[in-house]
Amino acid sequence: DAKTTQPPSMDCAEGRAANLPCNHSTISGNEYVYWYRQIHSQGPQYIIHGLKNNETNEMASLIITEDRKSSTLILPHATLRDTAVYYCIVRSNTGANSKLTFGKGITLSVRP
Amino acid sequence: DAGVIQSPRHEVTEMGQEVTLRCKPISGHNSLFWYRQTMMRGLELLIYFNNNVPIDDSGMPEDRFSAKMPNASFSTLKIQPSEPRDSAVYFCASSLDHTDTQYFGPGTRLTVL
């Protein structure tokens, strides 16, 4: 049972920033927010994760609200290759809740 | 780094046949996961191993499914006998520890006729 809510789809123009929202209002103090994406016919690809501070890596930035009830994944300059299903997952780093539970994700379509 | 390796990439078999899917985790990773993805059920965890020992197999659908990890660099998922409803994409993932970031393989697309 996924603990996150994502809109089913969104699109953005190539070269523009893609901001993907995620709600996780029941997140616990020891649970991280993880983002994966799945490009058609490929395995899920890890993007980024965070606990409460904003995080940035070579792929994306993760902005987590102060109350940690929602977050936004930002792809700063979307390309056509970023078209994929993006999964926001809440996950503990201990015990049974350390499982990755994938929901339906959000389908991002990047248009030329 | 070669990443997680799965074989075969595609498998077509007939109902009743035995199917064996294979996975080689990233070197140095101590945890290995098997997932199944279908249109109806999405991506679901079947079983995971830590240090070659099965820890949680609650996602294994029924006794026809079995998984083994004889050593740190190899795991198999076997379906015997296979049924058409087993048609899906099966992914293997590995991580340093079961609480760490998981890295997925390219998957095996299984079709049971």
Side-chain angles (χ1 to χ4, degrees):
Chain A
D1 186 18
K3 297 174 66 174
T4 62
T5 303
Q6 301 176 258
S9 63
M10 67 175 290
D11 64 12
C12 76
E14 189 176 22
R16 304 298 293 268
N19 298 299
L20 286 70
C22 181
N23 287 323
H24 30 80
S25 59
T26 61
I27 192 169
S28 300
N30 67 343
E31 290 180 321
Y32 289 74
V33 179
Y34 274 76
W35 283 83
Y36 279 77
R37 74 179 181 183
Q38 189 172 22
I39 296 169
H40 182 62
S41 296
Q42 297 184 20
Q45 178 188 22
Y46 166 75
I47 301 173
I48 199 168
H49 74 281
L51 184 63
K52 54 183 178 180
N53 296 322
N54 297 337
E55 301 287 345
T56 295
N57 63 20
E58 65 279 4
M59 290 183 68
S61 294
L62 174 60
I63 308 299
I64 303 174
T65 58
E66 193 168 343
D67 64 6
R68 302 209 321 124
K69 293 185 177 182
S70 65
S71 60
T72 301
L73 179 74
I74 301 173
L75 307 179
H77 306 287
T79 71
L80 299 179
R81 289 176 295 180
D82 292 322
T83 292
V85 178
Y86 288 76
Y87 299 96
C88 172
I89 302 167
V90 164
R91 179 195 187 208
S92 171
N93 61 353
T94 59
N97 290 330
S98 65
K99 293 182 183 181
L100 278 179
T101 301
F102 288 81
K104 296 184 184 301
I106 178 173
T107 299
L108 173 67
S109 300
V110 181
R111 61 181 187 275
Chain B
D1 189 351
V4 176
I5 299 172
Q6 293 187 245
S7 65
R9 294 295 309 278
H10 302 273
E11 177 81 31
V12 180
T13 190
E14 293 188 346
M15 182 174 63
Q17 296 297 306
E18 177 180 296
V19 175
T20 300
L21 311 182
R22 297 172 175 80
C23 175
K24 176 178 170 57
I26 293 171
S27 178
H29 282 191
N30 296 314
S31 296
L32 183 141
F33 307 79
W34 282 101
Y35 290 83
R36 178 174 68 176
Q37 186 171 35
T38 62
M39 289 293 293
M40 289 295 292
R41 300 176 65 88
L43 194 61
E44 51 184 352
L45 177 67
L46 300 178
I47 185 172
Y48 80 90
F49 295 82
N50 210 36
N51 294 319
N52 310 338
V53 176
I55 302 299
D56 184 347
D57 65 354
S58 59
M60 295 286 263
E62 48 196 277
D63 292 345
R64 297 184 298 106
F65 286 69
S66 63
K68 294 182 179 179
M69 193 164 185
N71 57 63
S73 59
F74 183 66
S75 177
T76 59
L77 178 67
K78 185 177 294 186
I79 308 173
Q80 166 63 17
S82 58
E83 297 183 2
R85 59 191 168 125
D86 302 329
S87 296
V89 182
Y90 291 81
F91 291 104
C92 177
S94 71
S95 61
L96 284 170
D97 180 79
H98 71 282
T99 61
D100 286 313
T101 300
Q102 296 178 27
Y103 297 91
F104 285 74
T108 295
R109 181 174 295 276
L110 173 66
T111 302
V112 183
L113 303 175

